[in-house]
Amino acid sequence: MDSNNLIEGLLQKPLWQMTGEEYCQLTHYALSLSPNTGSSPAPPGQKALGVHALAVELGCSDSTVYALMRTPREEDGSAEGGGILRPAVVSRIGRRIVFDVDTARRLADDYQSSRK
């Protein structure tokens, strides 16, 4: 049985019926199809789920992110809805906030440079 027929057979087989070897073969095949096999920097438009995840991505503490969220925006002087990081907020459901990392980094950098 050639490699293509083996993969086709594995693709038709339910996962719960596969042996460990079959699962590894299928995983290896799927990884070989992936165009991004090497480690690379964060993809564009990367999202951070929560304040802690954003702090990790920005390389700062959670309290720094909270302080940026409480800092009033220059255009309207309001800290409501996320302060200077408000444009970086992608979604807010309850207390869980999803941030666009690139936008948040740009806004934080702009704020820090304006303070100097």
Side-chain angles (χ1 to χ4, degrees):
M1 184 182 286
D2 72 341
S3 177
N4 288 336
N5 288 338
L6 175 67
I7 296 300
E8 286 300 319
L10 291 176
L11 288 172
Q12 301 303 318
K13 191 174 192 178
L15 186 61
W16 59 271
Q17 288 183 342
M18 287 185 188
T19 64
E21 181 182 1
E22 291 172 332
Y23 178 74
C24 287
Q25 289 173 342
L26 188 59
T27 301
H28 180 70
Y29 171 74
L31 289 174
S32 71
L33 295 178
S34 176
N36 195 10
T37 57
S39 63
S40 63
Q46 180 183 10
K47 307 296 183 247
L49 181 61
V51 170
H52 179 71
L54 180 62
V56 169
E57 291 295 326
L58 296 180
C60 63
S61 67
D62 294 6
S63 60
T64 301
V65 174
Y66 282 116
L68 291 171
M69 290 176 65
R70 287 190 305 269
T71 304
R73 295 180 304 278
E74 289 180 10
E75 60 270 8
D76 62 4
S78 170
E80 186 176 324
I84 64 167
L85 293 180
R86 185 172 84 179
V89 174
V90 175
S91 163
R92 183 178 218 153
I93 300 173
R95 295 181 63 176
R96 183 63 86 173
I97 305 171
V98 178
F99 295 95
D100 181 305
V101 175
D102 295 331
T103 304
R105 182 175 287 118
R106 182 181 46 80
L107 292 168
D109 287 345
D110 291 347
Y111 174 71
Q112 292 293 2
S113 65
S114 72
R115 291 184 60 200
K116 292 180 180 179

